[in-house]
């Protein structure tokens, strides 16, 4: 047998009738040793395209030799997927507690500092990595067992994080409202931007804001900095994590999913998990930006919006981004208000609805961006 392929179901939530809500966990384990990869999709219920990407990955990986193990969890949040209001999926927040489904993962810097005190300057990097994983796994289990209980979103997040905590590479598959492809990359893994076929790359610092990618790399980044500064070492534990934004939510597109699956295969090939793969990164232009320069443009007024700039379009300062229609002023020159670009920018996504309140996040944009690679 080429690879060992298995499937199990884990309980991530329980509904009001007391019935378990389960998700499938696919494991593809190769005959050769190697790293572990964890990939999940649809932590936000309307962000469904990642499930097609995982479908293509499973089809591809069953017939390709794997070194190590790849864990795939499609539709990891069945609660969010089933929160519907008419035609729309309202699966971004836990409906009971109002919590963002992607903000309840575990991180505790004190636990990292406590562990660092147990490390001697003679201990090998491999030993530290093994012990820290066990330490972090135990800390997550203790959090789940809190006698005060946890909110639904955090319960689900921590159960998923238990699957991801031993992985060397973690990929969390997302979609924007109306969006173009972009990827969040920790600053220390900047070179990995060239292994993915994503035209827009956001580089993020060691700052935990609750998401899975941060919950994965922040502990290792913090531990590495602590030990290297204290012991004058150059430890590198080789753990990377990314959030992949693959276009717009509420959309399934098998052809686009194959493109993103190929991008992931390119990354896994570069990391040595697919020793016989010939997939290489695309020859393409890649644009980078620091997280601090990834700006949100808010509306100063409410109304009905025409989005004039599409995601991925290069817009110059002063050019038109949108027009807002004011229903109470249709009989005068205030009936339509233009929104202009405050600087040179590239919109990544915009609000999905034409009806907006004042203070709505209209666009999220690259500013002060730079070129990572030039396509021919």
């Amino acid at each position: 047998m080429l690879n060992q392929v298995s499937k199990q179901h884990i309980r991530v939530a329980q509904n009001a009738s007391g019935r378990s809500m389960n998700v499938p966990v696919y494991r593809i384990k190769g005959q050769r040793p190697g790293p572990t990869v964890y990939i999940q999709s649809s932590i936000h219920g309307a962000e469904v395209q990642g499930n097609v990407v995982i479908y293509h990955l499973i089809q591809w990986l069953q017939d390709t030799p794997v070194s190590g193990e790849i864990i795939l969890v499609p539709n990891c949040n069945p609660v969010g997927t089933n929160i519907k209001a008419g035609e729309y999926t309202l699966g971004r927040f836990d409906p009971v507690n109002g919590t963002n489904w992607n903000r309840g993962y575990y991180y505790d810097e004190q636990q990292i500092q406590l562990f660092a005190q147990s490390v001697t300057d003679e201990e090998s990097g491999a030993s530290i990595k093994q012990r820290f994983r066990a330490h972090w796994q135990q800390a997550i289990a203790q959090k789940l067992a809190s006698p005060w209980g946890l909110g639904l979103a955090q319960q689900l997040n921590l159960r998923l994080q238990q699957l991801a905590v031993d992985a060397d590479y973690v990929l969390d598959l997302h979609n924007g409202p109306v969006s173009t492809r972009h990827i969040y990359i920790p600053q220390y893994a900047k070179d990995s931007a060239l292994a993915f076929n994503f035209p827009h790359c956001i580089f993020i610092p060691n700052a935990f804001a609750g998401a899975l990618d941060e919950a994965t790399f922040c502990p290792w980044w913090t531990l590495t900095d602590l030990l290297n500064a204290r012991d004058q070492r150059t430890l590198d534990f080789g753990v990377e994590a990314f959030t992949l934004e693959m276009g717009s939510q509420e959309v399934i597109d098998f052809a686009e999913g194959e493109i993103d699956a190929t991008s992931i295969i390119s990354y896994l090939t570069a990391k040595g998990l697919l020793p016989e793969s010939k997939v290489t990164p695309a020859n393409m232009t890649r644009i980078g930006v620091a997280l601090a320069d990834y700006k949100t443009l808010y509306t100063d007024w409410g109304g009905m919006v025409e989005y004039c700039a599409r995601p991925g379009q290069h817009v110059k300062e002063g050019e038109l981004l949108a027009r807002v229609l004011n229903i109470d002023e249709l009989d005068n020159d205030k009936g339509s208000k233009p929104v202009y670009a405050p600087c040179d920018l590239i919109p990544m996504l915009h609000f999905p609805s034409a009806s907006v309140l004042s203070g709505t996040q209209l666009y999220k944009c690259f500013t002060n961006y730079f070129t990572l690679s030039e396509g021919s």
Side-chain angles (χ1 to χ4, degrees):
M1 189 175 183
L2 189 61
N3 299 312
Q4 181 182 347
V5 182
S6 63
K7 178 174 64 175
Q8 66 178 126
H9 287 81
I10 64 165
R11 181 175 71 86
V12 293
Q14 195 171 31
N15 66 21
S17 300
R19 294 187 179 91
S20 294
M21 303 189 76
N22 301 320
V23 297
V25 178
Y26 296 87
R27 294 179 182 268
I28 301 174
K29 190 166 187 176
Q31 299 293 323
R32 314 175 195 180
T36 298
V37 178
Y38 176 83
I39 304 173
Q40 71 176 31
S41 65
S42 294
I43 192 64
H44 292 135
E47 300 178 18
V48 293
Q49 178 65 8
N51 300 310
V52 176
V53 176
I54 287 180
Y55 163 77
H56 285 297
L57 287 172
I58 291 173
Q59 298 302 308
W60 203 92
L61 292 168
Q62 289 183 88
D63 299 321
T64 303
V66 172
S67 295
E69 182 176 23
I70 301 172
I71 304 166
L72 304 110
V73 186
N75 198 37
C76 68
N77 180 7
V79 183
T81 304
N82 285 284
I83 302 172
K84 304 292 288 189
E87 302 171 4
Y88 302 99
T89 307
L90 305 180
R92 189 169 186 82
F93 301 96
D94 168 2
V96 178
N97 304 304
T99 309
N100 187 320
W101 288 112
N102 193 38
R103 294 294 183 270
Y105 296 97
Y106 176 80
Y107 179 76
D108 186 343
E109 189 167 342
Q110 288 185 337
Q111 284 291 332
I112 303 170
Q113 294 171 346
L114 179 66
F115 176 83
Q117 293 173 13
S118 73
V119 177
T120 65
D121 56 5
E122 295 90 5
E123 186 175 5
S124 69
S127 173
I128 297 169
K129 189 173 183 179
Q130 182 180 18
R131 286 201 309 111
F132 185 62
R133 278 178 167 159
H135 177 83
W136 209 245
Q137 189 73 262
Q138 183 181 22
I140 295 170
Q142 288 177 345
K143 185 71 174 179
L144 266 171
S146 168
W148 292 96
L150 299 168
L152 176 57
Q154 191 168 31
Q155 288 183 34
L156 184 145
N157 285 170
L158 295 183
R159 291 190 176 105
L160 294 171
Q161 192 174 0
Q162 286 181 315
L163 296 173
V165 75
D166 289 333
D168 300 285
Y169 309 116
V170 172
L171 282 65
D172 196 7
L173 310 186
H174 284 253
N175 299 94
V178 177
S179 176
T180 190
R181 286 186 177 93
H182 54 289
I183 182 172
Y184 290 85
I185 300 174
Q187 289 171 347
Y188 68 82
K190 185 176 180 180
D191 290 347
S192 290
L194 303 181
F196 290 99
N197 301 333
F198 275 74
H200 305 103
C201 306
I202 304 169
F203 297 105
I204 54 180
N206 187 11
F208 180 68
L212 178 62
D213 58 345
E214 299 155 348
T216 301
F217 66 69
C218 284
W220 293 103
W221 194 344
T222 301
L223 180 65
T224 300
D225 286 350
L226 280 173
L227 296 179
N228 285 346
R230 188 192 71 185
D231 301 333
Q232 298 182 349
R233 292 218 242 181
T234 55
L235 290 167
D236 181 358
F237 296 109
V239 176
E240 297 181 357
F242 311 91
T243 292
L244 283 61
E245 301 276 358
M246 302 169 300
S248 303
Q249 63 190 29
E250 296 277 38
V251 174
I252 285 287
D253 187 317
F254 276 74
E256 292 297 311
E258 189 168 11
I259 291 171
D260 287 314
T262 301
S263 176
I264 292 172
I265 292 296
S266 172
Y267 173 75
L268 299 182
T269 301
K271 293 300 178 181
L273 276 104
L274 307 174
E276 296 184 18
S277 168
K278 304 301 182 184
V279 177
T280 56
N283 178 8
M284 63 186 296
T285 298
R286 296 173 178 83
I287 303 294
V289 73
L291 182 62
D293 291 320
Y294 186 41
K295 301 291 189 180
T296 301
L297 179 71
Y298 296 88
T299 55
D300 289 331
W301 49 82
M304 311 295 176
V305 177
E306 176 192 6
Y307 298 96
C308 301
R310 68 184 185 277
Q313 177 183 342
H314 289 240
V315 180
K316 294 293 186 181
E317 180 179 356
E319 290 183 347
L320 185 67
L321 286 174
R323 293 188 184 93
V324 182
L325 188 69
N326 186 334
I327 302 302
D328 276 344
E329 304 288 351
L330 298 183
D331 57 351
N332 59 63
D333 60 3
K334 296 180 182 178
S336 173
K337 295 185 178 181
V339 178
Y340 297 111
C343 64
D344 290 357
L345 55 82
I346 308 173
M348 286 298 105
L349 56 87
H350 66 68
F351 195 67
S353 173
S355 302
V356 301
L357 301 171
S358 60
T360 294
Q361 294 186 15
L362 200 64
Y363 281 99
K364 298 192 78 171
C365 307
F366 277 24
T367 67
N368 297 320
Y369 48 87
F370 50 88
T371 300
L372 294 168
S373 65
E374 291 275 11
S376 59

